Amino acid sequence: MAGSLPRASEAAVDPAKFVDYSMNPANPGNQGKWIAFAELGYDVSTPEGRRVGFAHILQQVTAALPCALAGDPFPTPYGSRYRSRLKFWASIRKKAL
């Protein structure tokens, strides 16, 4: 049963997961995730562009988490993990779904 995300104010994201992995076209391990960020209007071509994009995404996620609904937790070796769907604005030019 969905509920609010426990300890949402303590949530953290390692910038490297975006800057060096998901948004990086030179990282073959990201399976093309960078394409979605580029299509949303983020500059993925440089580390600085990816840092700016990450900061924009993080700002919106941080603001949305306290109000977000989270699915039932499932265990991981690091503790409980929750899933939540958030809407965010990608860039001035385009709207994310």
Side-chain angles (χ1 to χ4, degrees):
M1 175 169 222
S4 62
L5 182 65
R7 300 170 46 197
S9 64
E10 298 174 37
V13 178
D14 180 354
K17 290 188 179 211
F18 281 80
V19 176
D20 300 330
Y21 175 68
S22 296
M23 297 177 90
N24 188 349
N27 186 328
N30 70 22
Q31 301 173 348
K33 290 177 179 75
W34 67 272
I35 296 169
F37 290 107
E39 288 178 351
L40 290 170
Y42 290 108
D43 173 12
V44 298
S45 63
T46 66
E48 180 60 23
R50 294 190 297 273
R51 280 191 288 274
V52 168
F54 167 72
H56 185 253
I57 292 166
L58 183 62
Q59 179 182 23
Q60 294 179 75
V61 168
T62 301
L65 278 180
C67 303
L69 291 178
D72 291 333
F74 55 97
T76 73
Y78 307 102
S80 295
R81 182 174 172 180
Y82 297 82
R83 291 182 194 248
S84 185
R85 293 192 181 260
L86 305 174
K87 291 184 179 183
F88 66 95
W89 290 93
S91 72
I92 294 171
R93 297 179 294 144
K94 298 182 181 183
K95 178 185 168 188
L97 302 176

